[in-house]
Amino acid sequence: MRVLVTGGGGFLGAAVSEALIARGDTAIAFDTHFPNAGIAAPEHCVRVQGDITDMAALAQTVLAHKPDAVIHCAAIVGVLFSIGSPINIVRINVEGSINVFEAMRIGGIKRCIHISSEEAYGAFRAERIDETHPLEPVLPYGICKATVEQLGRTYRDLHGLEVINLRTSWVYGPALPRDRIPRNLVLAALQGRALHIPSGADTAIDHTWIDDWVSAVLAALDHQAHRFDVYNVSSGEAATVTELADIVRELVPGSQLSVGPGLYRHGNRIELVRKGALDISRAQAEFGWKPRFDIRSGLAAYVEAIRGQGE
Ligand SMILES: NC(=O)c1ccc[n+]([C@@H]2O[C@H](COP(=O)([O-])OP(=O)(O)OC[C@H]3O[C@@H](n4cnc5c(N)ncnc54)[C@H](O)[C@@H]3O)[C@@H](O)[C@H]2O)c1
């Protein structure tokens, strides 16, 4: 299979491109830049430097490389960026996604796996929520995700596209590029630095280990007939920031990590709305995907991977 991976130079896009290549598929990675040198096997990997706001570049890419499907990861990521420049995130995340859908029309490509986010839900109304929870996003990032999901339905109804939305929750892995939990906890512990996170004891978040996220995307890509167009993808359990720090302390004895009371804040500034666990039973029932890592085994794998990099 030939798969166009938008954002193929980023954390998730590069990981799924590598997984496609490893199983013998061809990844056409499309991104404005490629900081991750990891993508090997050039005979199965095409890199296209381009911008999803450039419709002509996307159209040329699908016509030249003839992908069978799209995994759409390109986006401005993170709620802080979205607050700093709402117009920019709408241009890239919404307008860019429309260009991806238009390019699919031009290239006769039916299926797109769109990487959505638990931010599309807004404040969780229960400790564990499933895909029927209302979409009440509160910040531009989540509003854009919900909008792209809905635009995917428009393209389904008008043009026969099949846009499958994976509502992904806080993925972590060695290449996580952002300075946030649990990366900051793991790095501080391994570098012998004390770290105090001012607040977060009352925020429980469902964290997803990178390998589980990759296997979910491939399972959704491969599934023959989807009965739904949206699936939660996460570990299925939430942990408070204090619990994360406790686990990292156990994994790296002697580390000095502490977490203050209250809700976690994005960049120590913007208080998170209520989060929790995602119910992932739909993905399991429909395409047989199940995460292999809980937060403890995922953090253990994370610590080992960072140790292996010589941190
Ligand atoms: N990492 C997570 O925890 C998480 C959780 C939920 C959803 N997501 C979604 O998954 C996707 C990938 O996230 P990530 O963590 O890999 O982030 P990332 O920042 O590492 O990757 C995003 C990639 O998109 C590229 N990009 C940005 N603007 C572009 C443009 N105009 N044209 C082409 N490429 C552009 C960036 O260069 C980057 O390589 C995003 O859509 C993100 O919203 C991520």
Side-chain angles (χ1 to χ4, degrees):
M1 194 190 317
R2 300 174 62 76
V3 185
L4 172 64
V5 182
T6 71
F11 172 41
L12 301 185
V16 80
S17 295
E18 283 174 18
L20 287 164
I21 293 162
R23 69 180 202 173
D25 291 328
T26 295
I28 302 135
F30 184 98
D31 206 312
T32 48
H33 63 300
F34 292 88
N36 297 308
I39 304 177
E43 70 274 19
H44 289 300
C45 179
V46 181
R47 281 184 180 184
V48 180
Q49 194 161 11
D51 193 313
I52 58 168
T53 61
D54 180 350
M55 182 62 226
L58 274 173
Q60 276 168 7
T61 302
V62 300
L63 292 176
H65 298 289
K66 301 189 173 21
D68 305 298
V70 174
I71 298 174
H72 180 30
C73 299
I76 299 292
V77 182
V79 300
L80 280 181
F81 283 117
S82 82
I83 296 163
S85 181
I87 193 69
N88 211 27
I89 200 161
V90 170
R91 277 199 59 236
I92 292 171
N93 294 15
V94 178
E95 187 184 320
S97 296
I98 293 174
N99 286 340
V100 171
F101 298 155
E102 285 294 329
M104 290 175 66
R105 261 180 8 108
I106 290 168
I109 307 160
K110 188 161 182 247
R111 180 169 287 184
C112 173
I113 307 296
H114 166 235
I115 310 310
S116 186
S117 162
E118 100 291 345
E119 278 284 315
Y121 289 119
F124 287 25
R125 293 186 180 183
E127 282 179 12
R128 175 175 285 101
I129 63 169
D130 68 16
E131 293 86 348
T132 63
H133 186 285
L135 297 189
E136 299 165 327
V138 288
L139 296 172
Y141 175 74
I143 292 168
C144 288
K145 289 292 180 194
T147 303
V148 174
E149 288 191 10
Q150 198 53 29
L151 283 165
R153 293 181 189 110
T154 305
Y155 273 79
R156 173 197 63 201
D157 296 343
L158 293 179
H159 306 298
L161 263 56
E162 185 189 33
V163 181
I164 305 297
N165 302 289
L166 302 186
R167 292 191 188 134
T168 296
S169 186
W170 294 54
V171 187
Y172 62 108
L176 175 64
R178 286 169 284 283
D179 184 33
R180 63 150 162 91
I181 52 169
R183 175 186 149 94
N184 53 0
L185 291 164
V186 168
L187 287 187
L190 289 176
Q191 292 166 356
R193 285 186 284 112
L195 177 67
H196 176 68
I197 297 181
S199 65
D202 298 330
T203 291
I205 298 168
D206 195 337
H207 295 267
T208 315
W209 175 244
I210 181 71
D211 296 358
D212 284 332
W213 177 83
V214 168
S215 66
V217 177
L218 296 183
L221 179 71
D222 294 343
H223 187 57
Q224 212 166 13
H226 280 283
R227 292 195 308 142
F228 299 94
D229 69 4
V230 58
Y231 301 93
N232 286 339
V233 167
S234 69
S235 77
E237 299 292 336
T240 65
V241 184
T242 307
E243 286 167 333
L244 294 184
D246 289 346
I247 297 170
V248 175
R249 252 198 320 271
E250 281 171 35
L251 292 167
V252 186
S255 49
Q256 294 172 272
L257 307 172
S258 56
V259 179
L263 297 173
Y264 183 67
R265 290 167 186 269
H266 294 291
N268 289 334
R269 285 203 293 130
I270 310 290
E271 212 168 67
L272 262 69
V273 294
R274 180 186 177 188
K275 303 256 177 200
L278 297 182
D279 182 331
I280 50 174
S281 50
R282 180 184 283 180
Q284 184 171 359
E286 293 295 317
F287 51 87
W289 170 77
K290 214 172 127 185
R292 291 175 45 237
F293 290 79
D294 61 13
I295 189 65
R296 188 169 294 275
S297 53
L299 284 174
Y302 198 5
V303 167
E304 278 318 299
I306 300 288
R307 274 197 177 122
Q309 291 173 355
E311 281 290 340

